[in-house]
Amino acid sequence: MKALLVGEYREGKLLETTYELIGFAQQLKAEFELFLVASEDQLPQVEAKLYLADVNEAKEYNPALHKQLILEAAEKAGADTIVFIHSSNGWDLAPRVALALSAAQISEVVEIKEDGYLLPACNAKLRRTVKAATGKQVITLQAGAFMPAEQSGAPQVEKLSITATAQTEFLGYEQAEAGEVDLGKAEIIVSAGRGVGKPENVAMIEALAKALGGEYGASRPVVDAGWAPHDRQVGTTGQTVSPKLYVACGISGAIQHLAGMKKSEFVLAINTDKDAPIGEVADVLVVADIKQFAPALTAKLEG
Amino acid sequence: MNILVCIKQVPDMESRFKVAASGTWFEESDLAWRINEYDEFAIEQAVQLKTEVSGADLTVLSIGPARVKEALKKALAMGCDRAVNLVDEAAHEKDSFQIASAIAAFAKEKNFDLIFTGMQSQDRGSGQVGVLVAEMLGIPALTTAVEFAYADNSVTVRRELEGGLRAAIKASTPALVSCQLGLNTPRYPTLPNIMKAKRKEMLEIPVADLLKEEARLTTLSLAYPEKKGSAQILEGDVADLVDQVIGILKEKTAVL
């Protein structure tokens, strides 16, 4: 196998996920080369060939331009496997590259199996093992699923230039407004999930957080429904937290949520489904309806 | 303006799944089916656009067996003008490439100005179909939209990236937009609209008429995840559970 790893760079910085790609290739014992759209002062520390396109020319993200560059790098590298991170840019680019190479795409790999790759299905309740039926394959890796490689060495750089025409115009980045709470600093977080049932019940979670001396958080569905503000959202698209105690209330445990809180020191989950994926990261899973359990725990703590 | 929205019917994710005898998919009986959550945002955005632009026509499409007509009926009740069911009893055996090929074959030469899809399905979550359809049709794909605006044959989308960051991008139509959760507030169909939807056109096209491609991905097995966590499971009476939890927090954490 010969892999081309498509590293990630954003707002002037090389992203750490780039080392997860290298870690994956090393675990596979695959020969690999890298591709990056970046600036020369932000190169990964790795002993490997690196195809580099200048970020000022290619822009931080432009799918048609990046696709052309990746296809060129893949050809030069003689790669049969192109690897991305399953991120907002990775899942946008990977199918384009797969189609151009008539390759199968394997999305959001969490583990390498003897005969193929393991992927989550049905909200991580199931796992699917798949393999490509084509000579070439495009793979995206779930962020955080593979151990990042050690950072050492310097790449041998070969520069690539744009020849494609853009289909979309990149207008710029916008950072969501900073809210009043920084959950990243909280030592105790009590988060509300869909299991709270209705918007009024978020108050129940807030009360429990207060009784424990912490902040309240929320899962994405709760924020999307407008039951809690965005600055309370824990997960990939919200805040990444690592409190001493994390209480997951009626949160099933979607991958995006787990990625944002799995570094918590102690995780207490309350869920009616004892098979909920939150159990994978919880220290204690209480099988109960949060609508009954939260007020009872709050009353006892306050009593 | 000619608009297409592509939707998938998926099992309710709160279901208890059983692996089917084939070992490669789940047992489909005893499941409650609904519109893929991401696709509800796609339908809503398409309906909103249709009401903004005069003379717009909105088609909703879904691939699958007869049961997907329920999802299509809901989309019609939400405001789509006609539904197309690409009839396929074995849709779950198709890979993303095949599903996209069938949709692209349907959409080709129909001159859709805008195509909406969800950014991924809840059951497979590979996020490939929308982008593949756009690439097959040679039109731009704007993915992971959390904001959408249309004016003068161009679309501006805010893409959701990681950590609260968004990227604003713009493209000319025809284009495809894949919708992230939270893009809008999907409407509930009203009773009069449900009644009206019954009179709307529901086309059936056998998928074999459109799909000539072989699968590129092979599913070897489907299984429950190996239990990696060693969570202590507590069950019983709520009052007892509260006492047990307080005991554990006192013993194992420094927060009480």
Side-chain angles (χ1 to χ4, degrees), chain B residues 68-91:
Chain B
V68 309
K69 289 197 179 67
E70 287 309 310
L72 289 168
K73 278 181 202 160
K74 184 177 177 192
L76 290 174
M78 286 172 76
C80 297
D81 295 311
R82 88 181 50 70
V84 178
N85 176 201
L86 303 189
V87 182
D88 186 1
E89 291 302 323

Side-chain angles (χ1 to χ4, degrees), chain A residues 51-66:
Chain A
Y51 299 95
L52 179 72
D54 184 355
V55 66
N56 294 318
E57 197 193 340
K59 303 297 176 213
E60 290 214 347
Y61 190 64
N62 194 305
L65 306 187
H66 288 209

Side-chain angles (χ1 to χ4, degrees), chain A residues 67 88-89 91-92 96 104 107 122 125 127 129 131 133 169 171-172 174 176 220 236 283 285 287 300, chain B residues 13 15 123 128 135 143-144 158-160 162-164 166 168 170 181 216 218 220-221 223 225 232 234 243:
Chain A
K67 178 178 82 171
S88 53
N89 288 351
W91 70 58
D92 185 291
R96 304 174 197 258
S107 293
C122 295
K125 284 192 163 181
R127 293 276 189 272
T129 306
K131 67 170 186 184
E169 185 188 348
L171 304 174
E174 292 164 10
R220 172 163 200 144
T236 330
D283 295 281
L285 174 61
V287 184
K300 193 88 180 186
Chain B
M13 289 301 134
S15 311
D123 53 357
Q128 297 177 26
E135 291 283 293
T143 68
T144 333
R158 281 180 176 69
R159 301 189 63 224
E160 183 178 65
E162 288 73 21
R166 292 174 173 197
K170 190 176 175 181
L181 305 177
R216 290 181 171 174
T218 311
L220 301 169
S221 64
Q232 180 185 353
L234 303 180
D243 290 338

